[in-house]
Amino acid sequence: MSCFTRFANPLRLSFTFAVALVLTVPAFAIAAELANPLCPENTALFNASTGRDIILPAGFKVSVFRAGLNFPTGIAFLSHGNGFDVFVLESGHGLPSKCNEQGSFGTGQFDPKNPFTPDILVFDQSGTTLLRTLAKPTANDGFQPAGPAVDIGFEGGVLGGRLFATDSNQATHAAGQNNSSRIVTVDPMTGHVTPFITGLPTGDHPTEQLAFKGEFIYWSQGSTTNSGVVGRDNGGGANQPDIPCQDIVLSDNVFDSGGGKFTSGYTAFGQTRPGEKVKAFEGALHHGVCDGAILRAQLGVDDPTATIEPFSWGYRNGYAIRFAPELHALKGGLLVGEDGADERGARPSNNAPDNLQLAQLNPDGSPDYHGWPDRYGFLPSSQAVFNPVGGPGDDLCVPDAKNPPSLCTAASLATILKEDVPIQDVLKFPPQQITSPLAIEAADSSFTGIDFVPPAFVRGPVRSGAALYSLEGDFGFSKANATEPAPEVGHEVKLINFSQPGAPLELKILRFAFNKTTEQAFVSGIDGFNRPTNVKFGPDGCAYVVDYGAVRDFGQSDPDAKFKGDGNGPLVQIPGTGVIWKICSD
């Protein structure tokens, strides 16, 4: 999640709700029950046919471009003389559960029908015809089978050029698969994969979304940990520590994972170095590589790895990135949707907001800094609002299903509240002045995509220069981010209207597309969103919303969404429930 930005002009934020209506489409589809093939007791009701249960402002309509996908996260468009093709990235195994293990399906990780390995599906512009499948893992080519692949993009946008993608052998579902993230190019006809940059950090968050501007490729490089400290939630402690983008000095605090294991921030599990200096890029395989950051490299060089540099840092997971137009209130700046910390690991927290940030270089060419891991939104992480309350993902929790709501034994809960409250700082002091966010979003709402609207989409509540952003929703590590009857935030798309260039910066944020229940679709079987993981505008001026599909989770926010079966959790993916939704002005 993220925080506020530097602007000389006064900043005014206003949050409103769109005047909306339920689309009246004949209800003819019946929800089907789909199951995880490795843990079939984990099912989901799937009913994506028309989007009739998605609420939109007047003047807009929703339809299904393609349904029945496996965990899509990225989308790109390629124009040609007769129209355009749509490239959809299916991400593969991206969440921790034995039920998602790609090697356990069919003939294994190279099974061509394996839903838990990544690929790219190419459709015609109607979505009815699958033209070809690209980059499915084989023994000699394709994406890394362990996944996830996260994003795709043409360097020239809809005009084409090289097709780039990010993939990894992520360590959330196995221990110690460090530095396995890559940026690759994919031949858009044959699917042949060529490494572009390899050896990037991998942990809780791998190499993620892509953006292009000028001579550079930009990407979000998420933190390898939840909160700056390697804990038992990080592959049992085997995963790599975070890597700073600038020299930092650690605080004197060390963090308890139980069993005699104490760890300093930015340090390997079980090791402490209170008060010590950590050099920029310590532990990286390449100079210029760090995490919790936006990185960039030159496109037109023989050795792009040698040109890597940090553009902005101090994010937990600055996942969603998109450049604003040059003639915009943000003056072509990079808008970042940052996802905040969870209640888990060695430094658990509760209520950490997600943030909307503006990333930019300092005047001297160094990266600006946004405050993580010791700043959550506008506040220090030590503020009482972020205190952990004890949860099943906390390192010090001894599970006890009979002791809700923490699900920890009374004794271990007492230890958590004694040792982890208040949340202690990782750093002795920030490496530079902190850039605050433009705005904050609800805890666990999860920014996953941002795009700026084209002129054809401007009508009703949508103003020129506006942006849409997608919110995936929570994973059940904490309670719901709203108390009934207030609606939860997440599983939806929101709209930001900005002030005009030259005027004092102003953001007006409102709900744009959301389910009539304001909950994810699979629990009740409505025809609507589950987990929107991206939003991009196509050449036709319509917004394409990428929906990952159904995931059964820890169930803290919605018990009906909890995974089933002891030892199966915590995040069980349901193949065949992914969707590409299409929202157009009518």
Side-chain angles (χ1 to χ4, degrees):
M1 322 226 297
S2 50
C3 276
F4 223 97
T5 160
R6 302 185 307 256
F7 268 93
N9 292 329
L11 180 112
R12 188 172 76 227
L13 302 176
S14 81
F15 294 80
T16 63
F17 290 92
V19 177
L21 51 87
V22 179
L23 297 180
T24 56
V25 179
F28 54 83
I30 299 175
E33 187 173 70
L34 301 184
N36 178 293
L38 304 180
C39 302
E41 66 272 40
N42 286 275
T43 61
L45 293 174
F46 182 61
N47 187 19
S49 55
T50 64
R52 63 184 174 274
D53 293 323
I54 296 174
I55 296 175
L56 285 165
F60 294 90
K61 59 185 179 182
V62 62
S63 61
V64 174
F65 175 79
R66 190 77 179 197
L69 302 173
N70 298 320
F71 328 119
T73 55
I75 192 167
F77 307 92
L78 181 62
S79 293
H80 51 72
N82 298 320
F84 61 92
D85 294 336
V86 181
F87 291 66
V88 175
L89 176 67
E90 295 185 308
S91 62
H93 183 171
L95 298 172
S97 169
K98 72 175 188 179
C99 303
N100 310 330
E101 189 54 49
Q102 70 283 346
S104 300
F105 180 88
T107 59
Q109 61 184 359
F110 299 130
D111 188 322
K113 296 183 179 180
N114 196 328
F116 299 109
T117 58
D119 56 36
I120 299 172
L121 305 180
V122 186
F123 298 99
D124 69 349
Q125 68 186 69
S126 71
T128 57
T129 302
L130 174 63
L131 302 175
R132 55 194 177 276
T133 300
L134 307 175
K136 196 70 173 174
T138 68
N140 302 309
D141 203 352
F143 289 129
Q144 296 180 80
V150 175
D151 198 20
I152 53 175
F154 286 98
E155 61 184 324
V158 297
L159 299 179
R162 289 174 291 180
L163 175 61
F164 284 85
T166 58
D167 78 344
S168 71
N169 183 15
Q170 195 182 7
T172 55
H173 49 83
Q177 300 184 50
N178 299 327
N179 294 308
S180 67
S181 291
R182 307 186 300 178
I183 299 174
V184 301
T185 59
V186 181
D187 187 297
M189 296 304 297
T190 68
H192 174 62
V193 171
T194 302
F196 184 75
I197 293 173
T198 63
L200 295 170
T202 310
D204 272 18
H205 313 108
T207 301
E208 295 165 331
Q209 286 194 0
L210 298 168
F212 302 88
K213 189 172 185 179
E215 63 184 10
F216 289 98
I217 181 173
Y218 295 75
W219 67 93
S220 47
Q221 188 67 55
S223 62
T224 61
T225 70
N226 173 50
S227 56
V229 182
V230 179
R232 297 189 186 277
D233 59 325
N234 305 126
N239 296 350
Q240 66 191 102
D242 291 292
I243 302 170
C245 298
Q246 296 174 301
D247 292 353
I248 57 173
V249 178
L250 298 175
S251 70
D252 292 331
N253 300 316
V254 297
F255 301 88
D256 186 3
S257 289
K261 295 292 186 181
F262 291 84
T263 308
S264 293
Y266 290 87
T267 303
F269 183 67
Q271 298 182 21
T272 60
R273 44 179 178 172
E276 291 190 18
K277 183 177 182 179
V278 181
K279 298 290 290 182
F281 318 128
E282 179 187 280
L285 298 186
H286 313 294
H287 181 79
V289 169
C290 44
D291 69 33
I294 310 300
L295 305 181
R296 70 178 187 176
Q298 292 183 24
L299 283 165
V301 297
D302 293 334
D303 184 11
T305 300
T307 69
I308 299 173
E309 61 182 359
F311 179 76
S312 181
W313 80 296
Y315 306 99
R316 175 183 175 270
N317 187 26
Y319 182 94
I321 59 173
R322 193 70 167 176
F323 279 104
E326 293 298 330
L327 297 177
H328 191 275
L330 299 182
K331 301 177 181 179
L334 183 65
L335 199 59
V336 178
E338 179 194 8
D339 300 325
D342 300 323
E343 171 130 10
R344 59 182 170 89
R347 189 173 175 256
S349 62
N350 198 28
N351 297 322
D354 292 347
N355 304 290
L356 189 67
Q357 306 268 18
L358 183 67
Q360 51 195 339
L361 291 173
N362 292 319
D364 65 358
S366 63
D368 67 351
Y369 177 70
H370 292 256
W372 183 86
D374 293 337
R375 179 76 69 88
Y376 294 163
F378 299 103
L379 299 175
S381 57
S382 58
Q383 291 290 289
V385 66
F386 305 129
N387 285 347
V389 295
D394 296 10
D395 273 12
L396 297 178
C397 176
V398 177
D400 181 4
K402 298 179 181 179
N403 190 32
S406 73
L407 305 181
C408 307
T409 64
S412 65
L413 176 58
T415 301
I416 290 169
L417 299 180
K418 177 182 178 181
E419 294 197 20
D420 294 339
V421 176
I423 301 172
Q424 296 179 317
D425 286 349
V426 170
L427 306 182
K428 183 162 286 187
F429 46 82
Q432 59 171 291
Q433 186 173 344
I434 295 171
T435 298
S436 290
L438 289 172
I440 60 173
E441 257 297 357
D444 298 321
S445 56
S446 188
F447 280 102
T448 49
I450 298 171
D451 205 5
F452 289 85
V453 306
F457 207 77
V458 175
R459 65 178 305 165
V462 182
R463 304 291 186 244
S464 178
L468 296 184
Y469 64 84
S470 53
L471 295 173
E472 180 180 17
D474 70 85
F475 282 108
F477 287 104
S478 299
K479 293 181 181 179
N481 57 28
T483 302
E484 292 184 354
E488 278 192 67
V489 179
H491 315 292
E492 63 185 303
V493 177
K494 286 194 172 183
L495 168 71
I496 315 171
N497 284 314
F498 296 88
S499 52
Q500 293 302 302
L505 182 64
E506 176 181 288
L507 284 72
K508 293 183 177 179
I509 300 176
L510 60 149
R511 305 184 77 186
F512 181 78
F514 55 96
N515 293 341
K516 68 179 183 181
T517 61
T518 70
E519 298 283 354
Q520 54 190 325
F522 85 87
V523 176
S524 61
I526 63 170
D527 185 359
F529 297 134
N530 276 302
R531 295 187 174 275
T533 51
N534 213 327
V535 57
K536 285 187 179 177
F537 283 91
D540 54 359
C542 296
Y544 289 73
V545 180
V546 181
D547 187 337
Y548 189 84
V551 176
R552 288 199 166 272
D553 58 33
F554 260 126
Q556 289 273 82
S557 64
D558 182 357
D560 291 333
K562 182 177 173 59
F563 70 87
K564 298 179 180 180
D566 292 341
N568 282 342
L571 302 174
V572 179
Q573 302 172 209
I574 311 295
T577 59
V579 182
I580 307 297
W581 306 90
K582 185 176 177 180
I583 300 175
C584 306
S585 59
D586 59 16

